[in-house]
């Protein structure tokens, strides 16, 4: 099969047009520039190999956006499997400083500030799911709402906490790690 030269040109054009946008999306999930770029590059390789680059532009853009999100979720799941919980090493928790040097706030204060950005119902759902470990069905029964409402509130909470971490990222990498570990543990 002879490869048409225009396929290479179209692919190159789409790569140049979408690469940086897709990297920003990936970075929003994985919070590491190198990992984000790897994810996007692997996605483009997959598109080339599967010959999916001949889609109409709108479909291609939507496909790539969805695919990069899915790739990031898979990446985070794999990374979570490779992570060791701090609960597995309780002695290491005592080695952590109780205060952040640049802010003078305890980690608990910063976490509380992040949680305070959530609307009341959203915060209730998030705390019941993450701190008490309740299932969506159990939360729905307890709060007398539908499971879909619980799911929507969790999605909203995660989105707001990610925005908080992005806005205050320079504050403290540790807080980002704590909040992201909570988010990554989502069901």
């Amino acid at each position: 099969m002879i490869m048409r030269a225009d396929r290479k040109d179209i692919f190159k054009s789409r790569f140049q047009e979408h690469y940086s946008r897709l990297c920003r999306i990936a970075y929003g999930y994985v919070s590491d520039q190198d990992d984000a770029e790897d994810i996007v590059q692997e996605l483009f390789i997959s598109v080339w190999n599967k010959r999916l680059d001949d889609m109409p532009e709108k479909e291609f853009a939507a496909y790539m956006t969805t695919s990069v999100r899915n790739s990031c979720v898979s990446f985070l799941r794999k990374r979570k499997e490779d992570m060791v919980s701090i609960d597995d090493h309780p002695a290491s928790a005592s080695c952590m400083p109780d205060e952040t040097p640049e802010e003078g706030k305890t980690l608990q204060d910063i976490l509380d500030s992040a949680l305070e950005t959530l609307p009341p119902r959203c915060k209730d759902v998030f705390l019941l799911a993450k701190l008490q470990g309740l299932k969506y069905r159990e939360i729905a029964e307890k709060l007398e709402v539908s499971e879909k409402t619980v799911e929507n509130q969790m999605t909203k909470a995660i989105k707001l906490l990610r925005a908080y971490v992005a806005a205050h990222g320079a504050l403290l990498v540790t807080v980002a790690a704590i909040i992201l570990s909570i988010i990554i543990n989502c069901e």
Side-chain angles (χ1 to χ4, degrees):
M1 174 179 263
I2 298 174
M3 184 182 312
R4 298 183 339 214
D6 59 8
R7 179 174 179 231
K8 285 183 181 179
D9 294 338
I10 291 170
F11 185 82
K12 181 178 179 182
S13 170
R14 285 188 168 173
F15 181 87
Q16 290 170 342
E17 180 180 346
H18 296 282
Y19 181 78
S20 59
R21 177 182 65 85
L22 294 171
C23 284
R24 285 191 304 273
I25 292 169
Y27 181 80
Y29 283 94
V30 300
S31 301
D32 182 274
Q33 191 63 38
D34 292 332
D35 288 337
E37 289 178 9
D38 288 345
I39 289 168
V40 173
Q41 289 169 8
E42 288 174 18
L43 178 59
F44 271 102
I45 291 169
S46 174
V47 164
W48 177 263
N49 290 337
K50 294 178 182 177
R51 303 184 69 83
L52 297 173
D53 53 317
D54 62 352
M55 290 185 219
E57 180 57 32
K58 282 180 108 172
E59 290 177 32
F60 181 80
Y63 174 83
M64 295 301 283
T65 301
T66 301
S67 295
V68 79
R69 184 197 70 210
N70 292 343
S71 296
C72 289
V73 169
S74 296
F75 174 84
L76 291 172
R77 280 189 184 134
K78 179 164 178 11
R79 183 166 44 174
K80 178 184 167 201
E81 291 170 5
D82 296 340
M83 289 176 61
V84 177
S85 171
I86 195 165
D87 295 334
D88 296 341
H89 303 285
S92 65
S94 64
C95 299
M96 291 178 60
D98 192 33
E99 293 196 9
T100 61
E102 66 267 14
E103 295 299 320
K105 294 182 179 178
T106 66
L107 294 176
Q108 185 63 48
D109 291 340
I110 296 170
L111 183 57
D112 289 343
S113 296
L115 292 174
E116 287 305 314
T117 64
L118 301 177
R121 175 58 56 101
C122 197
K123 181 179 176 183
D124 291 343
V125 168
F126 185 82
L127 292 175
L128 288 170
K130 296 301 157 198
L131 296 183
Q132 294 183 18
L134 297 180
K135 304 278 184 216
Y136 286 3
R137 180 184 42 75
E138 297 169 324
I139 297 169
E141 289 171 5
K142 185 172 186 150
L143 299 178
E144 299 177 349
V145 297
S146 71
E147 283 186 58
K148 188 65 177 171
T149 299
V150 171
E151 183 179 331
N152 290 340
Q153 291 297 314
M154 280 299 294
T155 300
K156 185 176 183 177
I158 291 167
K159 182 179 178 182
L160 291 170
L161 289 172
R162 282 185 179 145
Y164 181 89
V165 170
H168 298 86
L171 245 178
L172 188 62
V173 174
T174 307
V175 174
I178 291 169
I179 293 173
L180 287 175
S181 71
I182 292 170
I183 292 169
I184 289 171
N185 290 323
C186 291
E187 297 171 3

